[in-house]
Amino acid sequence: MTCVKFARASAPAKVMLFGEHFVVYGCPAILGSIDKRVSVTAKQSESAKINISSNMGFLASYSSESLEKPGPQFSEAQNTLYPIYAAVHDVLKDHFEVDGRHHGVEIDIKSDIPWGAGLGSSAASCVASVGAVKSLFLKPEKEWVYSRALGAERIIHENSSGADCNISTFGGLIYYIKDTRNKKISSKAELSLVVLITYIKHSTGSQVSFVKNFRNQNRSLFNDLASRATRVCDKAVSALRSGDVIKLGELMNENHMLLKDLGVSNDEINDLIRFCLDNGATGAKLTGAGGGGSVVALLSNENQTSFIRKMGKKGLRQSFPVRIGSYGLLIE
């Protein structure tokens, strides 16, 4: 078996433009990779340890000999990085069975994606880590990386749609339906988008559980919201293909109202969206799980600079323009 001492890979963040939460239940979503990335360096180690460090302030160590189960004995960092550990352990296990050795690995994660902002930092870290570690032994196929990263994500979120791992692996702008073949979308207009980080603490798992309970207790209402979300998503595909940015913004606003009715928005997010719309945005909505995280605003190109300046005056600590369609997984 041919091995190298170290390997690097990177994967992009994403914005969900349409279909949050409803995508878990078989409805379509539209999401795109953006020009914020996670880069991972993997180095072989003599110890039977999987050590993970991140410039986001996380540092954790695990056994490579057997898959440790999360629990109260784990630190916050160990629980946060667990999906990456589980995916990497799974990759190494393939090679334990080939040569009988318990390989160790040092993983260094460098991210320019804000953590916990609803931009897919966890999925991108997982995808890039799987790609880098597998590349210590041979260059992996993207489909293989996606399946391993998704398997790890579903350890934590059993009913995950897989959308984040998919867009981080393959990149582009896609129309996505859970567990089916997805299609790339060509937008006739270049989208001028700005992401605004709320820094409101939230938990993806808690938001997913909230929506599950909402659906169980309000089945008829949920089904109505889901049907409307599907129609919005399908109209958005047509708007993207025709380059109708005004219509696209209107549909983003409509999608946010559905998420608001679902209960995953809050007053702070709604106020921020109103501020965006009052200051030149064509459309604005939460992106990701909600409850906090980020808002994405659609603008005309000429309004982008003045819009970001106004956001700064509002006191937002971080807002930045993003470009849609960044490359997916890259093995360096």
Side-chain angles (χ1 to χ4, degrees), residues 10-321:
S10 69
K14 58 82 184 175
V15 288
M16 186 80 79
L17 294 177
F18 296 92
E20 289 93 338
H21 289 293
F22 300 109
V23 68
V24 173
Y25 299 97
C27 299
I30 296 174
L31 62 161
S33 56
I34 61 174
D35 50 346
K36 296 280 184 182
R37 299 185 72 86
V38 170
S39 296
V40 172
T41 301
K43 296 180 182 178
Q44 288 200 55
S45 169
E46 293 300 319
S47 69
K49 289 285 185 182
I50 296 171
N51 296 322
I52 306 173
S53 61
S54 165
N55 67 336
M56 295 290 108
F58 299 113
L59 178 66
S61 182
Y62 314 84
S63 169
S64 70
E65 295 180 326
S66 60
L67 183 64
E68 298 179 78
K69 301 296 183 185
Q73 78 280 7
F74 270 13
S75 67
E76 180 184 359
Q78 284 177 309
N79 282 309
T80 299
L81 297 172
Y82 188 85
I84 299 171
Y85 158 62
V88 167
H89 181 275
D90 196 33
V91 174
L92 293 178
K93 186 173 179 290
D94 292 343
H95 299 281
F96 299 164
E97 294 169 357
V98 172
D99 63 15
R101 291 178 56 238
H102 286 284
H103 300 271
V105 67
E106 302 279 341
I107 296 171
D108 182 39
I109 301 172
K110 297 252 185 315
S111 176
D112 58 11
I113 307 169
W115 191 270
L119 301 177
S121 58
S122 179
S125 297
C126 205
V127 167
S129 296
V130 169
V133 173
K134 185 63 175 180
S135 297
L136 292 171
F137 307 100
L138 55 88
K139 187 172 181 179
E141 296 292 330
K142 285 188 175 183
E143 286 284 356
W144 185 93
V145 172
Y146 168 61
S147 67
R148 294 302 178 97
L150 178 57
E153 185 180 39
R154 284 181 171 167
I155 292 173
I156 305 298
H157 304 299
E158 184 177 352
N159 199 31
S160 168
S161 71
D164 284 11
C165 285
N166 187 287
I167 196 65
S168 191
T169 304
F170 300 106
L173 179 65
I174 62 170
Y175 179 92
Y176 180 89
I177 299 177
K178 181 181 178 181
D179 296 331
T180 69
R181 184 175 294 277
N182 311 299
K183 57 186 179 184
K184 291 282 181 93
I185 304 171
S186 286
S187 176
K188 192 171 182 180
E190 183 174 347
L191 302 182
S192 178
L193 296 168
V194 173
V195 168
L196 306 102
I197 311 297
T198 68
Y199 288 99
I200 302 168
K201 289 187 177 181
H202 73 297
S203 162
T204 297
S206 295
Q207 293 297 105
V208 170
S209 294
F210 173 85
V211 172
K212 182 179 180 181
N213 290 334
F214 179 97
R215 178 175 179 263
N216 290 339
Q217 295 169 17
N218 307 275
R219 190 62 64 105
S220 178
L221 175 57
F222 181 88
N223 289 343
D224 178 62
L225 294 173
S227 295
R228 289 160 61 191
T230 296
R231 289 195 293 272
V232 166
C233 203
D234 289 339
K235 289 177 183 177
V237 173
S238 298
L240 284 163
R241 287 176 173 162
S242 66
D244 189 342
V245 176
I246 300 299
K247 182 63 175 177
L248 192 68
E250 292 172 354
L251 291 167
M252 288 174 66
N253 297 334
E254 188 175 345
N255 192 166
H256 181 74
M257 293 306 295
L258 296 174
L259 294 170
K260 185 179 174 183
D261 290 344
L262 191 60
V264 295
S265 190
N266 55 40
D267 289 343
E268 292 89 343
I269 292 173
N270 296 332
D271 287 346
L272 179 56
I273 286 171
R274 277 194 293 272
F275 188 84
C276 290
L277 296 175
D278 289 343
N279 286 276
T282 303
K285 59 181 286 294
L286 68 81
T287 183
S294 300
V295 164
V296 60
L298 177 66
L299 302 136
S300 60
N301 286 318
E302 58 269 22
N303 285 345
Q304 191 179 86
T305 301
S306 63
F307 179 84
I308 292 175
R309 186 167 57 250
K310 290 173 183 175
M311 292 301 109
K313 288 180 179 178
K314 183 175 171 59
L316 284 178
R317 286 186 285 170
Q318 194 168 5
S319 60
F320 49 84

